[in-house]
Amino acid sequence: MRLSLTINGERREDDIDPRTLLVHYLRDIAGLTGTHVGCETSLCGACTVHLNGHAVKSCTVLAVQAEGAEITTIEGLARGGQLHPLQEGFWEEHGLQCGYCTPGMIMAAADLLARNRNPTETQIREALEGNLCRCTGYQHIINAIQSAAAKMRTQKAA
Amino acid sequence: MFPASFEYHRASSVKEALAMLQQYGEDGKILAGGHSLIPMMKLRLAQPAHLVDIGGIRQLASIREEGGKVIIGGLVTHHAVERSDVVRAKLGMLSECAAVIGDTQVRNRGTIGGSLAHADPAADYPAAVLALDGEIKIEGTGGSRVVKADDFFIDLMTTAVQPGEVLTEVAFAPVASGAGFTYLKHRQPASGFAMVGVAALLTLDKKGNCDRVRVGITGLGAKPFRAKAVEAALLGKAPAPAIAAAAAHAADGIDPLSDIHASADFRAELARVYTRRALETAAARAKA
């Protein structure tokens, strides 16, 4: 069936099988492989993208449910060749090791920072409860998000 | 991992959804946020031939006040319930409960109507909806009816919603000012589901005795229930000395679930302990 939506600011139309999950649509049809397939059971968060501004697990959304929606994936965060402060934060604070969970972590963190510009460590940990990392032990991820939040507050103020 | 093939139908109104359900009969299934149904479809535990997507019916996605009640549309997400000022002010327990369902991403998609109609025995909302005496509106081709929370949950994943019907909204009377309440659960650490969850609400009279007690328990048995023996044991009494003895009745008459996460005996013990803790918190928050 026909699906039309906006991905990272670009309108797209595709013919898809209704049972296509959003994550497979994004990766296999739209070619955006930054969103990862992890547990496939809505637990690990590696497939997190934004649907109309809210973080969702794209393995648990049918692509047809995103009809008319605005989707943002990890590929849509950088602007004009400039990494998003969260991407810079993960780089500078060593927020990743293998990198598998990273796109989902960053998209979940972006949802948090959109709601709360200055989250506490506890609030960050709570916001990431739906994202699993098997490498870092999370502390560097927390540091990366705090660093990004501080940078974004300065940028807003400037 | 993806669902078996199905035909997808997008309903733009409740009326249209009902017509579709009538047309597809047993082969039709309603899709709301999909956070219970899609996982089941991926595991092929559910293989509906026709999916009727009600996700686009805007009027089911709002929270409003009407006739002294707070009315929450079936499509309102857990996130929206958690963040709603009206819900926080008038149904604090419901926003407290919504805030601990699943995780952020799940709360952004999952809906109150979907959770209630699915009736997973470990879902959080049912405990709070029972303790708040929620009234569930169900629409069918023959008209609509309202079912009290007490009569809504029938058995494991079975509710008063009949084939061909749609759960459209849930109405609540505001919680009395001065009432103390909480929703407390023992989380299954991987999924976040309630191994046992207890919603406790109580109000005190001028002497400081309980004049209204509501305890809803989820996760323990095949269906969520009101722990009426606990409520009765506390009614008319000062909470502090009576809570422990009252909470001991939390699993009375219930055949507890048993699985790899918790044996029946452990679940019953969790229910007693969490009922005591929830009532202690509610009592501490209540104002005479």
Side-chain angles (χ1 to χ4, degrees):
Chain A
M1 83 179 272
R2 202 74 182 152
L3 170 70
S4 64
L5 75 178
T6 304
I7 307 174
N8 300 329
E10 232 169 90
R11 277 194 64 80
R12 270 191 78 100
E13 282 202 29
D14 293 285
D15 278 314
I16 59 162
D17 183 338
R19 64 172 161 167
T20 310
L21 297 167
L22 182 59
V23 67
H24 296 309
Y25 169 74
L26 291 170
R27 289 176 57 86
D28 302 341
I29 298 175
L32 297 167
T33 53
T35 303
H36 290 167
V37 180
C39 71
E40 298 191 73
T41 54
S42 14
L43 291 174
C44 82
C47 65
T48 301
V49 302
H50 290 192
L51 193 160
N52 293 331
H54 293 294
V56 303
K57 292 180 172 173
S58 59
C59 78
T60 310
V61 177
L62 297 169
V64 287
Q65 289 180 287
E67 169 68 28
E70 301 222 357
I71 304 288
T72 307
T73 69
I74 187 72
E75 290 93 340
L77 283 190
R79 289 283 148 82
Q82 173 73 39
L83 289 181
H84 186 278
L86 275 164
Q87 292 170 307
E88 290 180 347
F90 273 69
W91 186 352
E92 290 160 4
E93 298 292 333
H94 305 283
L96 61 135
Q97 287 177 28
C98 87
Y100 205 90
C101 73
T102 312
M105 286 285 176
I106 290 180
M107 297 314 287
D111 179 292
L112 168 69
L113 296 185
R115 286 180 279 120
N116 181 350
R117 299 171 61 216
N118 193 7
T120 63
E121 176 169 343
T122 306
Q123 287 169 329
I124 295 174
R125 286 184 184 275
E126 282 171 359
L128 297 183
E129 68 188 325
N131 293 76
L132 299 180
C133 172
R134 300 281 86 135
C135 305
T136 63
Y138 298 97
Q139 190 56 50
H140 287 228
I141 292 174
I142 312 288
N143 297 349
I145 294 167
Q146 285 175 325
S147 154
K151 198 177 279 182
M152 287 164 75
R153 288 196 301 276
T154 324
Q155 285 176 354
K156 277 242 168 81
Chain B
M1 204 161 68
F2 46 86
S5 288
F6 55 84
E7 279 186 44
Y8 174 85
H9 312 276
R10 193 172 285 130
S12 56
S13 66
V14 173
K15 205 175 155 194
E16 196 183 357
L18 291 171
M20 288 171 173
L21 286 175
Q22 197 166 37
Q23 186 180 344
Y24 304 122
E26 294 263 301
D27 295 331
K29 186 89 186 153
I30 297 172
L31 174 69
H35 272 49
S36 300
L37 181 58
I38 294 173
M40 289 185 72
M41 289 173 66
K42 285 162 70 177
L43 293 168
R44 312 285 169 114
L45 294 170
Q47 301 194 22
H50 296 271
L51 267 195
V52 175
D53 186 356
I54 61 168
I57 305 177
R58 299 308 312 162
Q59 61 266 37
L60 296 186
S62 67
I63 299 173
R64 66 183 200 279
E65 290 181 86
E66 199 179 283
K69 292 195 170 165
V70 180
I71 299 169
I72 302 178
L75 282 183
V76 176
T77 63
H78 311 329
H79 174 76
V81 168
E82 175 192 348
R83 308 282 286 190
S84 158
D85 290 336
V86 174
V87 177
R88 274 189 195 169
K90 303 197 168 172
L91 300 170
M93 175 149 62
L94 200 68
S95 74
E96 213 180 283
C97 178
V100 297
I101 299 173
D103 53 48
T104 306
Q105 292 94 320
V106 168
R107 292 194 289 275
N108 281 339
R109 285 297 289 172
T111 65
I112 188 166
S115 172
L116 294 176
H118 182 64
D120 189 298
D124 296 294
Y125 263 146
V129 172
L130 282 163
L132 289 166
D133 291 314
E135 293 175 343
I136 294 136
K137 188 173 174 189
I138 301 167
E139 291 193 39
T141 41
S144 71
R145 60 200 173 98
V146 172
V147 178
K148 289 183 186 314
D150 266 346
D151 303 321
F152 181 77
F153 300 101
I154 291 173
D155 204 343
L156 189 82
M157 295 170 133
T158 308
T159 70
V161 181
Q162 297 299 308
E165 292 185 322
V166 181
L167 188 166
T168 52
E169 58 191 35
V170 193
F172 300 92
V175 169
S177 64
F181 53 78
T182 195
Y183 174 70
L184 203 61
K185 71 165 160 175
H186 190 77
R187 288 174 77 95
Q188 203 282 319
S191 70
F193 269 108
M195 276 156 74
V196 162
V198 180
L201 182 149
L202 57 85
T203 57
L204 303 174
D205 63 19
K206 283 177 186 152
K207 292 179 187 159
N209 295 326
C210 299
D211 66 357
R212 183 181 164 82
V213 186
R214 284 288 184 278
V215 178
I217 299 182
T218 187
L220 178 64
K223 64 168 186 170
F225 64 97
R226 254 180 67 197
K228 291 185 180 167
V230 178
E231 296 174 1
L234 210 49
L235 200 65
K237 295 185 184 144
I243 283 176
H249 295 292
D252 285 7
I254 301 298
D255 186 13
L257 296 172
S258 185
D259 58 25
I260 56 164
H261 305 304
S263 66
D265 286 347
F266 181 50
R267 268 202 172 76
E269 181 63 9
L270 281 176
R272 290 186 283 267
V273 170
Y274 276 75
T275 298
R276 175 175 57 73
R277 290 182 189 169
L279 284 167
E280 284 167 355
T281 301
R285 290 177 175 181
K287 293 182 190 77

